Amino acid sequence: MPSVFETSPTAIPITFVTKSSWDQIAETLPPVQRQFATASAFAAKPGSYLALPAPDGAIAQVLFGLEDEGARSRDLFRPGTLPGLLPPGIYRFANAPHDARLASLAFALGSYRFARYRKADRPAARLVPPDGVDAAEIDRVADAAMLARDLINTPSNDMGPEELAAAAHDLAAEFGAGFACTIGEDLKMNFPLIHAVGMASDRAPRLIDIGWGDPDHPKVTLVGKGVCFDTGGLDLKPSSGMLIMKKDMGGAANVLALARMVMDAKLKVRLRVLIPAVENAVSSNAFRPLDIFTSRKGITVEIGNTDAEGRLVLADALALADEEKPDLLIDLGTLTGAARVALGPDLPPFYTNDETLAADVARCAARENDPLWRMPLWPPYDAWLDSKTATITNAPSGGFAGSITCALFLQRFVEQAKSWLHVDIYGWTPSAKPARPEGGECQAARAIYTLLSERYG
């Protein structure tokens, strides 16, 4: 994505105002501009916008409303609406928003448009980087977020397992990373759960594998759920539940976004990225309820529900990752409706037994306005995974604590990693918000990147 940042000595000032600061700021305006604001009934409401005229008819400055400093709820991404409001031109912040760095990032994220299938002109407003803001770092994060959004927004007819692998290959090639893909009989023999979920589709399942960095550096492995479309399998979803299932590879998209940030920043890690890429389809050879498969780890899994397929493909990938005893193992996936019921679409739960990691994740999530909320790996619920005919079931009966039991299922496949983090993301913005257009979304990747930058920068 071309950078939104540009320098200019004549950049148009953007003045941030709140209800409490508006009267004072209004007094500093030239009389004509003050009268224009009064006539326009500008009241500094959060998100309100007004371009004030210069004597020659040009824009003298822009007023933009923010929440008061002590407001109960402040959206630090509110300046992300500006690219869609401003006429073409180069702008600068005349005074400080609540957080200049996040406001600059929001400006960049708010410039995103998905234009693969119809014309959608990208906003032509540019921004002079505020003093003290690292424009290159903002561009790095924004570019990665755009990658995640583009991958998720692309419909499944153009984003199947092969196309997802091609996108991963392109990213690996851009940064000189190694790339491999396991497919066919090799997949069936070595990753039985991935193969079982994807075998009903004529679009072959595969395991994508990217390696990058100095082998002597700490080993960080990222695993992303890459279900390119989820019908629910034979436990078929209703049409309403299937409508946005192109986003079910959101974990993979966000893992690739995170990998882009890590490689672009040249963090001191030995990075591995694993993405099980499948389509959960329906055909005569689809896997069935109460089928039993032996996973890569040797754990036998009874299929309680074919629509709980994401944890199956992640299980085999996590088992492979765990064999290398990574210093940090992270998986992201669009996994459970239970997480959405509990926390909604904007607040993904995360799970870990590493108390230091949990505190660092929560702190970085708050800092980056990339919200995450810790949920417990509650040991008493582990027994709910028991099966009468196999080691475990992928879908415990009863329906309680669905996100927790999914995390506990995945935990069965992680034994040797020094630290493990699981995030149950949604990967989608249901209705547009500042800097976050409706559609595919980059979730958790920015917070985790900040964590990795602090540890391995």
Side-chain angles (χ1 to χ4, degrees), residues 339-375:
R340 314 290 79 82
V341 172
L343 299 175
D346 301 338
L347 184 58
F350 74 91
Y351 299 82
T352 182
N353 282 324
D354 183 331
E355 296 299 323
T356 300
L357 178 62
D360 287 345
V361 168
R363 176 177 50 79
C364 291
R367 172 186 161 182
E368 297 305 316
N369 198 33
D370 191 10
L372 297 169
W373 193 265
R374 189 183 186 187
M375 295 269 276

PDB file of all heavy atoms in Angstrom, residues 339-375:
ATOM      1  N   ALA A 339     -17.073 -17.568  21.796  1.00  0.00           N
ATOM      2  CA  ALA A 339     -16.251 -16.392  22.108  1.00  0.00           C
ATOM      3  C   ALA A 339     -16.982 -15.108  21.751  1.00  0.00           C
ATOM      4  O   ALA A 339     -16.874 -14.098  22.447  1.00  0.00           O
ATOM      5  CB  ALA A 339     -14.922 -16.471  21.361  1.00  0.00           C
ATOM      6  N   ARG A 340     -17.744 -15.133  20.662  1.00  0.00           N
ATOM      7  CA  ARG A 340     -18.496 -13.951  20.254  1.00  0.00           C
ATOM      8  C   ARG A 340     -19.660 -13.690  21.209  1.00  0.00           C
ATOM      9  O   ARG A 340     -19.976 -12.542  21.524  1.00  0.00           O
ATOM     10  CB  ARG A 340     -19.029 -14.126  18.834  1.00  0.00           C
ATOM     11  CG  ARG A 340     -18.052 -14.649  17.807  1.00  0.00           C
ATOM     12  CD  ARG A 340     -16.958 -13.668  17.431  1.00  0.00           C
ATOM     13  NE  ARG A 340     -15.869 -13.562  18.363  1.00  0.00           N
ATOM     14  CZ  ARG A 340     -14.820 -14.419  18.406  1.00  0.00           C
ATOM     15  NH1 ARG A 340     -14.781 -15.453  17.618  1.00  0.00           N
ATOM     16  NH2 ARG A 340     -13.839 -14.215  19.257  1.00  0.00           N
ATOM     17  N   VAL A 341     -20.305 -14.764  21.669  1.00  0.00           N
ATOM     18  CA  VAL A 341     -21.393 -14.598  22.625  1.00  0.00           C
ATOM     19  C   VAL A 341     -20.866 -13.978  23.911  1.00  0.00           C
ATOM     20  O   VAL A 341     -21.478 -13.084  24.502  1.00  0.00           O
ATOM     21  CB  VAL A 341     -22.072 -15.954  22.908  1.00  0.00           C
ATOM     22  CG1 VAL A 341     -23.068 -15.835  24.055  1.00  0.00           C
ATOM     23  CG2 VAL A 341     -22.788 -16.457  21.654  1.00  0.00           C
ATOM     24  N   ALA A 342     -19.695 -14.434  24.338  1.00  0.00           N
ATOM     25  CA  ALA A 342     -19.138 -13.946  25.599  1.00  0.00           C
ATOM     26  C   ALA A 342     -18.599 -12.535  25.494  1.00  0.00           C
ATOM     27  O   ALA A 342     -18.829 -11.702  26.377  1.00  0.00           O
ATOM     28  CB  ALA A 342     -18.035 -14.897  26.073  1.00  0.00           C
ATOM     29  N   LEU A 343     -17.884 -12.236  24.409  1.00  0.00           N
ATOM     30  CA  LEU A 343     -17.113 -10.994  24.342  1.00  0.00           C
ATOM     31  C   LEU A 343     -17.410 -10.144  23.110  1.00  0.00           C
ATOM     32  O   LEU A 343     -16.859  -9.048  22.989  1.00  0.00           O
ATOM     33  CB  LEU A 343     -15.608 -11.310  24.378  1.00  0.00           C
ATOM     34  CG  LEU A 343     -15.110 -12.022  25.650  1.00  0.00           C
ATOM     35  CD1 LEU A 343     -13.639 -12.398  25.503  1.00  0.00           C
ATOM     36  CD2 LEU A 343     -15.316 -11.155  26.871  1.00  0.00           C
ATOM     37  N   GLY A 344     -18.267 -10.608  22.216  1.00  0.00           N
ATOM     38  CA  GLY A 344     -18.587  -9.814  21.035  1.00  0.00           C
ATOM     39  C   GLY A 344     -17.511  -9.898  19.969  1.00  0.00           C
ATOM     40  O   GLY A 344     -16.484 -10.563  20.146  1.00  0.00           O
ATOM     41  N   PRO A 345     -17.717  -9.205  18.843  1.00  0.00           N
ATOM     42  CA  PRO A 345     -16.794  -9.335  17.716  1.00  0.00           C
ATOM     43  C   PRO A 345     -15.494  -8.567  17.870  1.00  0.00           C
ATOM     44  O   PRO A 345     -14.518  -8.862  17.171  1.00  0.00           O
ATOM     45  CB  PRO A 345     -17.606  -8.776  16.538  1.00  0.00           C
ATOM     46  CG  PRO A 345     -18.520  -7.774  17.180  1.00  0.00           C
ATOM     47  CD  PRO A 345     -18.884  -8.364  18.518  1.00  0.00           C
ATOM     48  N   ASP A 346     -15.452  -7.568  18.769  1.00  0.00           N
ATOM     49  CA  ASP A 346     -14.298  -6.667  18.846  1.00  0.00           C
ATOM     50  C   ASP A 346     -13.282  -7.052  19.901  1.00  0.00           C
ATOM     51  O   ASP A 346     -12.212  -6.433  19.977  1.00  0.00           O
ATOM     52  CB  ASP A 346     -14.771  -5.231  19.150  1.00  0.00           C
ATOM     53  CG  ASP A 346     -15.724  -4.692  18.110  1.00  0.00           C
ATOM     54  OD1 ASP A 346     -15.702  -5.204  16.975  1.00  0.00           O
ATOM     55  OD2 ASP A 346     -16.501  -3.766  18.427  1.00  0.00           O
ATOM     56  N   LEU A 347     -13.596  -8.045  20.726  1.00  0.00           N
ATOM     57  CA  LEU A 347     -12.743  -8.354  21.874  1.00  0.00           C
ATOM     58  C   LEU A 347     -12.435  -9.844  21.906  1.00  0.00           C
ATOM     59  O   LEU A 347     -13.098 -10.622  22.581  1.00  0.00           O
ATOM     60  CB  LEU A 347     -13.457  -7.923  23.168  1.00  0.00           C
ATOM     61  CG  LEU A 347     -12.697  -8.061  24.487  1.00  0.00           C
ATOM     62  CD1 LEU A 347     -11.401  -7.271  24.462  1.00  0.00           C
ATOM     63  CD2 LEU A 347     -13.585  -7.618  25.652  1.00  0.00           C
ATOM     64  N   PRO A 348     -11.394 -10.285  21.194  1.00  0.00           N
ATOM     65  CA  PRO A 348     -11.066 -11.713  21.174  1.00  0.00           C
ATOM     66  C   PRO A 348     -10.502 -12.181  22.514  1.00  0.00           C
ATOM     67  O   PRO A 348      -9.716 -11.474  23.149  1.00  0.00           O
ATOM     68  CB  PRO A 348      -9.993 -11.815  20.072  1.00  0.00           C
ATOM     69  CG  PRO A 348     -10.106 -10.547  19.274  1.00  0.00           C
ATOM     70  CD  PRO A 348     -10.567  -9.514  20.246  1.00  0.00           C
ATOM     71  N   PRO A 349     -10.881 -13.376  22.944  1.00  0.00           N
ATOM     72  CA  PRO A 349     -10.253 -13.942  24.136  1.00  0.00           C
ATOM     73  C   PRO A 349      -8.905 -14.568  23.804  1.00  0.00           C
ATOM     74  O   PRO A 349      -8.695 -15.051  22.690  1.00  0.00           O
ATOM     75  CB  PRO A 349     -11.249 -15.019  24.569  1.00  0.00           C
ATOM     76  CG  PRO A 349     -11.907 -15.445  23.305  1.00  0.00           C
ATOM     77  CD  PRO A 349     -11.966 -14.229  22.432  1.00  0.00           C
ATOM     78  N   PHE A 350      -8.007 -14.546  24.782  1.00  0.00           N
ATOM     79  CA  PHE A 350      -6.743 -15.263  24.625  1.00  0.00           C
ATOM     80  C   PHE A 350      -6.520 -16.159  25.833  1.00  0.00           C
ATOM     81  O   PHE A 350      -7.050 -15.926  26.920  1.00  0.00           O
ATOM     82  CB  PHE A 350      -5.569 -14.311  24.396  1.00  0.00           C
ATOM     83  CG  PHE A 350      -5.104 -13.542  25.608  1.00  0.00           C
ATOM     84  CD1 PHE A 350      -4.100 -14.041  26.434  1.00  0.00           C
ATOM     85  CD2 PHE A 350      -5.643 -12.297  25.911  1.00  0.00           C
ATOM     86  CE1 PHE A 350      -3.662 -13.322  27.542  1.00  0.00           C
ATOM     87  CE2 PHE A 350      -5.210 -11.568  27.012  1.00  0.00           C
ATOM     88  CZ  PHE A 350      -4.215 -12.095  27.842  1.00  0.00           C
ATOM     89  N   TYR A 351      -5.706 -17.199  25.615  1.00  0.00           N
ATOM     90  CA  TYR A 351      -5.466 -18.215  26.624  1.00  0.00           C
ATOM     91  C   TYR A 351      -3.977 -18.507  26.721  1.00  0.00           C
ATOM     92  O   TYR A 351      -3.298 -18.661  25.703  1.00  0.00           O
ATOM     93  CB  TYR A 351      -6.189 -19.522  26.258  1.00  0.00           C
ATOM     94  CG  TYR A 351      -7.688 -19.413  26.164  1.00  0.00           C
ATOM     95  CD1 TYR A 351      -8.299 -18.932  25.000  1.00  0.00           C
ATOM     96  CD2 TYR A 351      -8.498 -19.794  27.225  1.00  0.00           C
ATOM     97  CE1 TYR A 351      -9.673 -18.832  24.913  1.00  0.00           C
ATOM     98  CE2 TYR A 351      -9.883 -19.711  27.140  1.00  0.00           C
ATOM     99  CZ  TYR A 351     -10.463 -19.224  25.976  1.00  0.00           C
ATOM    100  OH  TYR A 351     -11.826 -19.124  25.896  1.00  0.00           O
ATOM    101  N   THR A 352      -3.483 -18.605  27.935  1.00  0.00           N
ATOM    102  CA  THR A 352      -2.116 -19.041  28.185  1.00  0.00           C
ATOM    103  C   THR A 352      -1.984 -19.375  29.658  1.00  0.00           C
ATOM    104  O   THR A 352      -2.709 -18.825  30.500  1.00  0.00           O
ATOM    105  CB  THR A 352      -1.094 -17.956  27.789  1.00  0.00           C
ATOM    106  OG1 THR A 352       0.233 -18.457  28.010  1.00  0.00           O
ATOM    107  CG2 THR A 352      -1.289 -16.674  28.594  1.00  0.00           C
ATOM    108  N   ASN A 353      -1.059 -20.275  29.979  1.00  0.00           N
ATOM    109  CA  ASN A 353      -0.733 -20.556  31.370  1.00  0.00           C
ATOM    110  C   ASN A 353       0.524 -19.833  31.824  1.00  0.00           C
ATOM    111  O   ASN A 353       0.957 -20.012  32.967  1.00  0.00           O
ATOM    112  CB  ASN A 353      -0.561 -22.074  31.577  1.00  0.00           C
ATOM    113  CG  ASN A 353      -1.893 -22.798  31.674  1.00  0.00           C
ATOM    114  OD1 ASN A 353      -2.848 -22.266  32.218  1.00  0.00           O
ATOM    115  ND2 ASN A 353      -1.955 -24.000  31.139  1.00  0.00           N
ATOM    116  N   ASP A 354       1.096 -19.039  30.930  1.00  0.00           N
ATOM    117  CA  ASP A 354       2.293 -18.261  31.233  1.00  0.00           C
ATOM    118  C   ASP A 354       1.851 -16.894  31.765  1.00  0.00           C
ATOM    119  O   ASP A 354       1.361 -16.051  31.004  1.00  0.00           O
ATOM    120  CB  ASP A 354       3.136 -18.121  29.952  1.00  0.00           C
ATOM    121  CG  ASP A 354       4.444 -17.391  30.169  1.00  0.00           C
ATOM    122  OD1 ASP A 354       4.519 -16.536  31.077  1.00  0.00           O
ATOM    123  OD2 ASP A 354       5.392 -17.648  29.403  1.00  0.00           O
ATOM    124  N   GLU A 355       2.015 -16.681  33.054  1.00  0.00           N
ATOM    125  CA  GLU A 355       1.513 -15.452  33.677  1.00  0.00           C
ATOM    126  C   GLU A 355       2.228 -14.215  33.157  1.00  0.00           C
ATOM    127  O   GLU A 355       1.600 -13.161  32.963  1.00  0.00           O
ATOM    128  CB  GLU A 355       1.654 -15.538  35.201  1.00  0.00           C
ATOM    129  CG  GLU A 355       0.820 -16.634  35.839  1.00  0.00           C
ATOM    130  CD  GLU A 355      -0.674 -16.449  35.592  1.00  0.00           C
ATOM    131  OE1 GLU A 355      -1.141 -15.288  35.586  1.00  0.00           O
ATOM    132  OE2 GLU A 355      -1.367 -17.464  35.388  1.00  0.00           O
ATOM    133  N   THR A 356       3.523 -14.316  32.928  1.00  0.00           N
ATOM    134  CA  THR A 356       4.261 -13.169  32.387  1.00  0.00           C
ATOM    135  C   THR A 356       3.781 -12.840  30.981  1.00  0.00           C
ATOM    136  O   THR A 356       3.559 -11.681  30.637  1.00  0.00           O
ATOM    137  CB  THR A 356       5.771 -13.465  32.376  1.00  0.00           C
ATOM    138  OG1 THR A 356       6.214 -13.715  33.711  1.00  0.00           O
ATOM    139  CG2 THR A 356       6.546 -12.282  31.797  1.00  0.00           C
ATOM    140  N   LEU A 357       3.610 -13.878  30.164  1.00  0.00           N
ATOM    141  CA  LEU A 357       3.107 -13.676  28.808  1.00  0.00           C
ATOM    142  C   LEU A 357       1.718 -13.064  28.840  1.00  0.00           C
ATOM    143  O   LEU A 357       1.420 -12.137  28.072  1.00  0.00           O
ATOM    144  CB  LEU A 357       3.089 -15.004  28.053  1.00  0.00           C
ATOM    145  CG  LEU A 357       2.537 -14.963  26.625  1.00  0.00           C
ATOM    146  CD1 LEU A 357       3.377 -14.057  25.725  1.00  0.00           C
ATOM    147  CD2 LEU A 357       2.458 -16.377  26.038  1.00  0.00           C
ATOM    148  N   ALA A 358       0.857 -13.546  29.722  1.00  0.00           N
ATOM    149  CA  ALA A 358      -0.516 -13.027  29.807  1.00  0.00           C
ATOM    150  C   ALA A 358      -0.508 -11.539  30.131  1.00  0.00           C
ATOM    151  O   ALA A 358      -1.239 -10.746  29.512  1.00  0.00           O
ATOM    152  CB  ALA A 358      -1.304 -13.792  30.857  1.00  0.00           C
ATOM    153  N   ALA A 359       0.310 -11.135  31.095  1.00  0.00           N
ATOM    154  CA  ALA A 359       0.377  -9.718  31.467  1.00  0.00           C
ATOM    155  C   ALA A 359       0.921  -8.880  30.319  1.00  0.00           C
ATOM    156  O   ALA A 359       0.427  -7.771  30.053  1.00  0.00           O
ATOM    157  CB  ALA A 359       1.249  -9.550  32.713  1.00  0.00           C
ATOM    158  N   ASP A 360       1.927  -9.402  29.626  1.00  0.00           N
ATOM    159  CA  ASP A 360       2.514  -8.656  28.501  1.00  0.00           C
ATOM    160  C   ASP A 360       1.526  -8.520  27.345  1.00  0.00           C
ATOM    161  O   ASP A 360       1.438  -7.463  26.708  1.00  0.00           O
ATOM    162  CB  ASP A 360       3.796  -9.344  28.021  1.00  0.00           C
ATOM    163  CG  ASP A 360       4.960  -9.168  28.989  1.00  0.00           C
ATOM    164  OD1 ASP A 360       4.862  -8.298  29.881  1.00  0.00           O
ATOM    165  OD2 ASP A 360       5.958  -9.901  28.849  1.00  0.00           O
ATOM    166  N   VAL A 361       0.785  -9.580  27.058  1.00  0.00           N
ATOM    167  CA  VAL A 361      -0.211  -9.524  25.984  1.00  0.00           C
ATOM    168  C   VAL A 361      -1.278  -8.483  26.312  1.00  0.00           C
ATOM    169  O   VAL A 361      -1.642  -7.654  25.461  1.00  0.00           O
ATOM    170  CB  VAL A 361      -0.852 -10.909  25.760  1.00  0.00           C
ATOM    171  CG1 VAL A 361      -2.082 -10.796  24.863  1.00  0.00           C
ATOM    172  CG2 VAL A 361       0.152 -11.862  25.138  1.00  0.00           C
ATOM    173  N   ALA A 362      -1.795  -8.511  27.531  1.00  0.00           N
ATOM    174  CA  ALA A 362      -2.838  -7.558  27.920  1.00  0.00           C
ATOM    175  C   ALA A 362      -2.329  -6.124  27.836  1.00  0.00           C
ATOM    176  O   ALA A 362      -3.044  -5.229  27.363  1.00  0.00           O
ATOM    177  CB  ALA A 362      -3.320  -7.872  29.325  1.00  0.00           C
ATOM    178  N   ARG A 363      -1.103  -5.900  28.287  1.00  0.00           N
ATOM    179  CA  ARG A 363      -0.538  -4.548  28.242  1.00  0.00           C
ATOM    180  C   ARG A 363      -0.338  -4.071  26.799  1.00  0.00           C
ATOM    181  O   ARG A 363      -0.697  -2.935  26.454  1.00  0.00           O
ATOM    182  CB  ARG A 363       0.793  -4.540  28.991  1.00  0.00           C
ATOM    183  CG  ARG A 363       1.548  -3.213  28.940  1.00  0.00           C
ATOM    184  CD  ARG A 363       2.810  -3.271  29.767  1.00  0.00           C
ATOM    185  NE  ARG A 363       3.625  -4.434  29.465  1.00  0.00           N
ATOM    186  CZ  ARG A 363       4.434  -4.515  28.395  1.00  0.00           C
ATOM    187  NH1 ARG A 363       4.510  -3.509  27.532  1.00  0.00           N
ATOM    188  NH2 ARG A 363       5.158  -5.606  28.187  1.00  0.00           N
ATOM    189  N   CYS A 364       0.198  -4.933  25.950  1.00  0.00           N
ATOM    190  CA  CYS A 364       0.439  -4.547  24.552  1.00  0.00           C
ATOM    191  C   CYS A 364      -0.877  -4.344  23.800  1.00  0.00           C
ATOM    192  O   CYS A 364      -0.974  -3.462  22.942  1.00  0.00           O
ATOM    193  CB  CYS A 364       1.292  -5.599  23.851  1.00  0.00           C
ATOM    194  SG  CYS A 364       2.993  -5.680  24.448  1.00  0.00           S
ATOM    195  N   ALA A 365      -1.880  -5.142  24.124  1.00  0.00           N
ATOM    196  CA  ALA A 365      -3.186  -4.980  23.482  1.00  0.00           C
ATOM    197  C   ALA A 365      -3.781  -3.624  23.817  1.00  0.00           C
ATOM    198  O   ALA A 365      -4.328  -2.932  22.944  1.00  0.00           O
ATOM    199  CB  ALA A 365      -4.122  -6.101  23.923  1.00  0.00           C
ATOM    200  N   ALA A 366      -3.673  -3.217  25.084  1.00  0.00           N
ATOM    201  CA  ALA A 366      -4.195  -1.908  25.480  1.00  0.00           C
ATOM    202  C   ALA A 366      -3.403  -0.785  24.830  1.00  0.00           C
ATOM    203  O   ALA A 366      -3.976   0.194  24.353  1.00  0.00           O
ATOM    204  CB  ALA A 366      -4.153  -1.783  26.998  1.00  0.00           C
ATOM    205  N   ARG A 367      -2.113  -0.936  24.787  1.00  0.00           N
ATOM    206  CA  ARG A 367      -1.259   0.097  24.199  1.00  0.00           C
ATOM    207  C   ARG A 367      -1.556   0.308  22.720  1.00  0.00           C
ATOM    208  O   ARG A 367      -1.531   1.437  22.215  1.00  0.00           O
ATOM    209  CB  ARG A 367       0.212  -0.294  24.386  1.00  0.00           C
ATOM    210  CG  ARG A 367       1.190   0.603  23.641  1.00  0.00           C
ATOM    211  CD  ARG A 367       2.612   0.097  23.728  1.00  0.00           C
ATOM    212  NE  ARG A 367       3.436   0.680  22.698  1.00  0.00           N
ATOM    213  CZ  ARG A 367       4.714   0.388  22.506  1.00  0.00           C
ATOM    214  NH1 ARG A 367       5.327  -0.475  23.293  1.00  0.00           N
ATOM    215  NH2 ARG A 367       5.400   0.948  21.525  1.00  0.00           N
ATOM    216  N   GLU A 368      -1.845  -0.772  22.007  1.00  0.00           N
ATOM    217  CA  GLU A 368      -2.019  -0.698  20.557  1.00  0.00           C
ATOM    218  C   GLU A 368      -3.468  -0.525  20.131  1.00  0.00           C
ATOM    219  O   GLU A 368      -3.760  -0.537  18.932  1.00  0.00           O
ATOM    220  CB  GLU A 368      -1.440  -1.955  19.903  1.00  0.00           C
ATOM    221  CG  GLU A 368       0.051  -2.116  20.101  1.00  0.00           C
ATOM    222  CD  GLU A 368       0.813  -0.900  19.620  1.00  0.00           C
ATOM    223  OE1 GLU A 368       0.494  -0.385  18.528  1.00  0.00           O
ATOM    224  OE2 GLU A 368       1.732  -0.453  20.342  1.00  0.00           O
ATOM    225  N   ASN A 369      -4.390  -0.373  21.081  1.00  0.00           N
ATOM    226  CA  ASN A 369      -5.806  -0.299  20.750  1.00  0.00           C
ATOM    227  C   ASN A 369      -6.216  -1.505  19.895  1.00  0.00           C
ATOM    228  O   ASN A 369      -6.973  -1.397  18.938  1.00  0.00           O
ATOM    229  CB  ASN A 369      -6.135   1.006  20.010  1.00  0.00           C
ATOM    230  CG  ASN A 369      -7.615   1.343  20.037  1.00  0.00           C
ATOM    231  OD1 ASN A 369      -8.311   1.042  20.997  1.00  0.00           O
ATOM    232  ND2 ASN A 369      -8.105   1.957  18.976  1.00  0.00           N
ATOM    233  N   ASP A 370      -5.680  -2.655  20.278  1.00  0.00           N
ATOM    234  CA  ASP A 370      -5.950  -3.934  19.621  1.00  0.00           C
ATOM    235  C   ASP A 370      -6.464  -4.879  20.713  1.00  0.00           C
ATOM    236  O   ASP A 370      -5.750  -5.762  21.170  1.00  0.00           O
ATOM    237  CB  ASP A 370      -4.658  -4.467  18.991  1.00  0.00           C
ATOM    238  CG  ASP A 370      -4.874  -5.642  18.059  1.00  0.00           C
ATOM    239  OD1 ASP A 370      -6.041  -5.936  17.738  1.00  0.00           O
ATOM    240  OD2 ASP A 370      -3.874  -6.258  17.648  1.00  0.00           O
ATOM    241  N   PRO A 371      -7.707  -4.687  21.162  1.00  0.00           N
ATOM    242  CA  PRO A 371      -8.156  -5.267  22.428  1.00  0.00           C
ATOM    243  C   PRO A 371      -8.175  -6.793  22.446  1.00  0.00           C
ATOM    244  O   PRO A 371      -8.566  -7.444  21.477  1.00  0.00           O
ATOM    245  CB  PRO A 371      -9.572  -4.691  22.596  1.00  0.00           C
ATOM    246  CG  PRO A 371      -9.997  -4.290  21.227  1.00  0.00           C
ATOM    247  CD  PRO A 371      -8.747  -3.868  20.516  1.00  0.00           C
ATOM    248  N   LEU A 372      -7.743  -7.335  23.575  1.00  0.00           N
ATOM    249  CA  LEU A 372      -7.771  -8.769  23.852  1.00  0.00           C
ATOM    250  C   LEU A 372      -8.147  -8.953  25.327  1.00  0.00           C
ATOM    251  O   LEU A 372      -7.878  -8.068  26.149  1.00  0.00           O
ATOM    252  CB  LEU A 372      -6.404  -9.409  23.589  1.00  0.00           C
ATOM    253  CG  LEU A 372      -5.875  -9.373  22.154  1.00  0.00           C
ATOM    254  CD1 LEU A 372      -4.413  -9.791  22.111  1.00  0.00           C
ATOM    255  CD2 LEU A 372      -6.704 -10.257  21.246  1.00  0.00           C
ATOM    256  N   TRP A 373      -8.751 -10.091  25.650  1.00  0.00           N
ATOM    257  CA  TRP A 373      -9.191 -10.328  27.022  1.00  0.00           C
ATOM    258  C   TRP A 373      -8.838 -11.761  27.416  1.00  0.00           C
ATOM    259  O   TRP A 373      -9.194 -12.708  26.727  1.00  0.00           O
ATOM    260  CB  TRP A 373     -10.703 -10.136  27.127  1.00  0.00           C
ATOM    261  CG  TRP A 373     -11.193 -10.065  28.534  1.00  0.00           C
ATOM    262  CD1 TRP A 373     -11.686 -11.095  29.286  1.00  0.00           C
ATOM    263  CD2 TRP A 373     -11.223  -8.905  29.372  1.00  0.00           C
ATOM    264  NE1 TRP A 373     -12.031 -10.650  30.534  1.00  0.00           N
ATOM    265  CE2 TRP A 373     -11.762  -9.308  30.624  1.00  0.00           C
ATOM    266  CE3 TRP A 373     -10.855  -7.576  29.196  1.00  0.00           C
ATOM    267  CZ2 TRP A 373     -11.937  -8.415  31.686  1.00  0.00           C
ATOM    268  CZ3 TRP A 373     -11.025  -6.690  30.247  1.00  0.00           C
ATOM    269  CH2 TRP A 373     -11.563  -7.113  31.475  1.00  0.00           C
ATOM    270  N   ARG A 374      -8.152 -11.891  28.543  1.00  0.00           N
ATOM    271  CA  ARG A 374      -7.722 -13.221  28.965  1.00  0.00           C
ATOM    272  C   ARG A 374      -8.903 -14.041  29.487  1.00  0.00           C
ATOM    273  O   ARG A 374      -9.726 -13.557  30.264  1.00  0.00           O
ATOM    274  CB  ARG A 374      -6.654 -13.122  30.051  1.00  0.00           C
ATOM    275  CG  ARG A 374      -6.023 -14.486  30.358  1.00  0.00           C
ATOM    276  CD  ARG A 374      -5.023 -14.408  31.478  1.00  0.00           C
ATOM    277  NE  ARG A 374      -4.342 -15.675  31.663  1.00  0.00           N
ATOM    278  CZ  ARG A 374      -3.511 -15.938  32.659  1.00  0.00           C
ATOM    279  NH1 ARG A 374      -3.250 -14.991  33.572  1.00  0.00           N
ATOM    280  NH2 ARG A 374      -2.929 -17.116  32.763  1.00  0.00           N
ATOM    281  N   MET A 375      -8.926 -15.305  29.046  1.00  0.00           N
ATOM    282  CA  MET A 375      -9.895 -16.292  29.549  1.00  0.00           C
ATOM    283  C   MET A 375      -9.110 -17.471  30.109  1.00  0.00           C
ATOM    284  O   MET A 375      -7.955 -17.703  29.736  1.00  0.00           O
ATOM    285  CB  MET A 375     -10.825 -16.740  28.422  1.00  0.00           C
ATOM    286  CG  MET A 375     -11.710 -15.639  27.876  1.00  0.00           C
ATOM    287  SD  MET A 375     -13.294 -15.512  28.716  1.00  0.00           S
ATOM    288  CE  MET A 375     -14.214 -16.765  27.810  1.00  0.00           C
TER     289      MET A 375
END
